[in-house]
Amino acid sequence: MNVALFAQVNRLQVEGGTLEYGVTGKSDAPTLLLLHGIRNTKLLFAPILPALAERYRVIAVDIRGHGNSESHDSFSFER
């Protein structure tokens, strides 16, 4: 992963796994949460991250079972 895209890359323990997310942009700006679709990762947003980071605090997440996020259990929309 190209960590230089993000000011920080963090991991968050959640029920049934771990989510990895990158943060960039202005800490005091409005926050944008970027969620990719199936079979992608947070790197999908790499081409637009620099422009978004100029005006926003941007958080891009690898959803469960994608990229560097892990899923130890099965999951569903209800869960």
Side-chain angles (χ1 to χ4, degrees):
M1 190 193 109
N2 184 356
V3 178
L5 289 172
F6 301 103
Q8 301 173 40
V9 176
N10 302 307
R11 295 178 67 81
L12 176 67
Q13 292 296 121
V14 296
E15 180 182 348
T18 304
L19 297 179
E20 184 174 287
Y21 62 95
V23 181
T24 192
K26 301 178 179 191
S27 62
D28 60 344
T31 301
L32 292 178
L33 176 62
L34 305 179
L35 302 172
H36 62 80
I38 294 175
R39 295 188 177 168
N40 263 304
T41 71
K42 64 187 168 295
L43 297 181
L44 172 70
F45 305 108
I48 62 171
L49 279 175
L52 293 175
E54 289 178 11
R55 295 186 57 199
Y56 301 99
R57 177 175 184 242
V58 182
I59 301 172
V61 180
D62 280 338
I63 62 173
R64 290 177 187 246
H66 292 74
N68 293 320
S69 290
E70 301 171 355
S71 179
H72 303 296
D73 297 327
S74 61
F75 52 91
S76 64
F77 286 109
E78 293 79 17
R79 219 170 156 201

